[in-house]
Amino acid sequence: MSGSNYFTSPKPNQSQSNAGGDPSLHAHKKGDAKHSHSKEVSNQNLLLIALILTLSFSGVEGAAAYFAGSLALISDAGHMVTDAAALGLALLAQIISKRPPSPKHSFGFGRAEALAAFVNGIVMLVLVAWIVFEAISRFYTPHQVDGLTVTIVAAIGLLMNVVVAWVLSRDKKSVNTRAALVHVMGDLLGSVAALLAGLVIQLTGWMPIDAILSILVSLLILKSTISILHESYHFLMEGVPLHIDYLQVGSDLKKVPGVLAVHDLHVWEMTPSFPALIGHIEIEHMQDWPEIMSRINVMLLDQHGIDHVTLQPEEVGQHEHDHYHDDIPQAQNSAPAALHAGDTFFVQCTNGDGSHRMAYHAWGDPSNPKVLLCVHGLTRRGSDFNTLAQAMSKDYYVVCPDVVGRGDSDRLQNPMMYAVPQYVADMASLVKHLGVAHVDWLGTSMGGLIGMVYASMPNSPIRRMLINDVGPRIEPEAIKRLGSYVGQTFSFANRADALERLNAICASFGEHTPQEWEIYNGPMLIQKNGLWEMHYDPDISVPFASVNPIMAKAGEMAMWHAFKQIHIPMLIVRGGNSDLLSAKTVAEMCKVNPYARSIEIPNVGHAPAFVKTEQIALAKEFFS
């Protein structure tokens, strides 16, 4: 059941064909945000001047501190050396952040500033810890300090730090420059402390003042350092900008005329001082979107200072009270809808050769706006979900289609149409037929592949999806196993023998009682010309058998691409002994798509049948 059986070959990889870079991808057009990704960063000349002044004096102060024996002066010299490194990092970050966007870094390198600020903060914490430790040790082992040397050098250092602090204070926007300024302010306080220590030692000869003032300065520096660390860490973790109220943004969006609902809303800073917003907006008519978007842009910029906005409009379907089922006579609309318990209906679908009917089995209240689509595997049918559907029908209107070529659905004249693109088109026809805007999806094996492709499409109605034991990569062992029976002769004179053989084929689904096997596999058997056969068109194996290694690889690449485009909650369920979905593939799925999480069911192969109480409870929990 390789992915290429169900998906057409992908188009050439555009990102690879544009390896040299396509400037148009980064350009903004009318309606886009009004800022450039390569933002104007702080004046590099300010950092360069501060670096030269600091570095030139740190050597002088270090030598004087050594000969004077002063901890206050040593800490001040250490501050200046650290300042020089911090300023160097800040200058490097300024240069890097000015680099333009590239095919690998579409937002540019603005985050380099925050990264340098975070590193500077960590260094300051280490330095503060060392000074406090050294100062405490000096209480037990006093050092002789030359007060006159300390006073003179500290005074010169104080003047130098005042000049450097003044230079850096001219740039108040950059978090990175402000981090460097914290270093310099700490050094300035260190110079004041060293000056006071020198004066006290000169006048009184009391040596402990040197250590005491060093601790005091360190504690003062600590507060500013923690503030910078908090701000830069919050930025690097893509937190909501500190000056923006996320809940208020959502509330204001809902108040914009024309906006019916807001969901999947995210606010963060791409680069310092440039907040960005993405989200989904539900509107009544798509033709109104340009005007609504214009109102949103004005509101976000004026009230929240957000000018980089990416929103996806979604046209809301019929309201809940307009929800109807085509198969219910209009006379019933005025009365409470009858509950369905596996009743069979049909939806008309189109294909390349004309049209066909797809059967579906319904459970629950057809007026319930919460719809759960349960889609089966390659050789199965909608009855697989009878037990699950009955359990879920109190909360959902559960719809279980027979994918074309299976069960009660029509057979296709062209067997090569038995592929995922046709199946997705049929499911879209079914959703439209049901008259709902959103559905939840449970797809087993092939049903999971259909769901992944459908969910990756623009404006997909799927809002939540359970993927049962399938992924973009299908293991070769499973393909070999499926090929051993799909489309092969299956004909028995006795139903019991046919059921026994089918149960053996499905042994990997897990251990089940005879009653459970009857419920699960019984509907798979149909009597034709006095013989018991499988319910599906044997020609569904034709596209399956035509796949070669190149087609299989192309199909896998296409499925991975589709999976990465899905932005809805997903639960990947894997049978612990599955030969189709490997644990490695599950791990990769969760890695490449943050919306996915996984769970493994032990002692089950491909695929969990969802007839066991604990498996049904798992589905209920996810969809609740």
Side-chain angles (χ1 to χ4, degrees), residues 85-87 89-90 115-125 176 179-180 183 225:
L87 291 167
L89 279 173
L115 182 60
F118 188 77
V119 171
N120 289 347
I122 296 296
V123 172
M124 280 301 297
L125 287 181
N176 188 41
H183 277 271
T225 299

Side-chain angles (χ1 to χ4, degrees), residues 567-584:
H567 296 155
I568 58 173
M570 290 179 285
L571 176 64
I572 304 166
V573 177
R574 177 180 182 268
N577 303 326
S578 176
D579 64 345
L580 189 142
L581 179 64
S582 69
K584 180 180 179 182

Side-chain angles (χ1 to χ4, degrees), residues 93 214 283:
S214 296
I283 59 177

Side-chain angles (χ1 to χ4, degrees), residues 379-564:
T379 62
R380 309 296 299 180
R381 60 179 298 181
S383 58
D384 277 5
F385 303 103
N386 284 354
T387 304
L388 174 68
Q390 185 175 4
M392 299 289 290
S393 61
K394 293 181 180 179
D395 301 314
Y396 278 90
Y397 182 48
V398 186
V399 176
C400 309
D402 288 341
V403 176
V404 65
R406 289 87 169 167
D408 296 324
S409 294
D410 290 346
R411 274 48 172 161
L412 296 177
Q413 293 182 1
N414 182 0
M416 294 307 294
M417 296 299 293
Y418 288 129
V420 161
Q422 181 63 58
Y423 303 153
V424 171
D426 290 354
M427 296 304 159
S429 297
L430 174 58
V431 172
K432 182 178 180 180
H433 173 77
L434 295 175
V436 292
H438 301 288
V439 297
D440 289 347
W441 187 284
L442 190 155
T444 295
S445 197
M446 182 187 73
L449 294 178
I450 298 170
M452 282 189 278
V453 175
Y454 196 9
S456 71
M457 296 170 63
N459 301 318
S460 170
I462 302 177
R463 63 179 183 180
R464 201 170 185 84
M465 181 163 59
L466 189 154
I467 303 171
N468 185 18
D469 210 61
V470 73
R473 181 184 300 115
I474 309 299
E475 297 303 314
E477 293 82 0
I479 297 175
K480 183 178 179 181
R481 175 176 57 81
L482 290 166
S484 69
Y485 69 84
V486 177
Q488 301 299 317
T489 301
F490 188 99
S491 182
F492 294 84
N494 185 284
R495 186 180 185 277
D497 293 339
L499 184 59
E500 182 179 359
R501 171 56 182 156
L502 183 55
N503 291 348
I505 292 174
C506 301
S508 65
F509 294 180
E511 294 185 3
H512 298 287
T513 65
Q515 182 182 7
E516 288 172 336
W517 278 125
E518 176 60 42
I519 294 172
Y520 191 63
N521 273 341
M524 302 296 117
L525 303 173
I526 59 173
Q527 193 173 28
K528 187 176 181 180
N529 298 324
L531 297 175
W532 291 95
E533 301 177 352
M534 291 292 286
H535 66 95
Y536 62 83
D537 182 355
D539 282 346
I540 66 171
S541 64
V542 172
F544 182 82
S546 67
V547 174
N548 59 44
I550 295 177
M551 293 172 61
K553 188 62 179 178
E556 180 181 323
M557 292 173 60
M559 287 305 305
W560 276 116
H561 177 76
F563 181 74
K564 293 175 183 177

Side-chain angles (χ1 to χ4, degrees), residues 294-325:
S294 178
R295 298 189 196 119
I296 290 175
N297 281 329
V298 171
M299 182 277 292
L300 289 175
L301 184 59
D302 291 348
Q303 299 185 27
H304 302 282
I306 302 174
D307 70 340
H308 195 287
V309 179
T310 304
L311 293 172
Q312 177 176 324
E314 296 178 354
E315 191 171 14
V316 174
Q318 294 170 306
H319 297 296
E320 293 181 7
H321 61 271
D322 293 330
H323 176 83
Y324 66 94
H325 194 295

